[in-house]
Each structure stands twice: as structure tokens, then as C-alpha cells.
Amino acid sequence: MGYEFHVHGLWVLGALSFFVGTLIAGNLEWVEGTTNASFVLSVIIAFLFILFAGALWISAAVNARQEQR
């Protein structure tokens, strides 16, 4: 009846990925000395971390649903 580790593991990895992505996005600021390339790269990295977290959470939900059957 209990969930297997991969459901909780994906959920936790998704939470950590979302945390890292929001840390990066929350600290983005255009200051003196910032180049266009570094700012855009930081935005892209934050977006990819958040996107990856969503994919992990969707995978965890699908795995949990399949285990209930």
C-alpha cells in the first residue's frame, strides 16, 4: 500500500530544484558591471531549474497514480 521511494524522491528533488531556481531568480538584479550575457544566462538557468522541478513533480504524480491502481 505504501509509496515506493521513487515517488518521494522525485518530489524532494523537485522541491530542491525549485528552491535553487527561486534563489537564483530572487537574487537577480541589474547592477553596475552586469553584462547582458550574464544577466540573460542567470534568467535562463533559473527558468530551467523551475521547469525541471515541474517535470519532476509531474513524474512523481504519474508514478503515484500508477501505484494506486
Side-chain angles (χ1 to χ4, degrees):
M1 283 289 286
Y3 291 116
E4 295 200 21
F5 177 75
H6 66 272
V7 173
H8 296 295
L10 290 173
W11 182 67
V12 170
L13 287 175
L16 290 174
S17 177
F18 188 78
F19 178 70
V20 171
T22 55
L23 275 178
I24 294 170
N27 287 317
L28 283 176
E29 186 177 349
W30 191 270
V31 294
E32 187 177 348
T34 303
T35 63
N36 287 338
S38 66
F39 187 79
V40 169
L41 184 63
S42 297
V43 170
I44 291 171
I45 289 172
F47 177 73
L48 289 176
F49 269 111
I50 294 169
L51 189 68
F52 185 62
L56 289 172
W57 286 336
I58 290 170
S59 297
V62 168
N63 287 332
R65 179 71 178 169
Q66 287 178 353
E67 287 182 7
Q68 287 179 355
R69 292 182 182 181

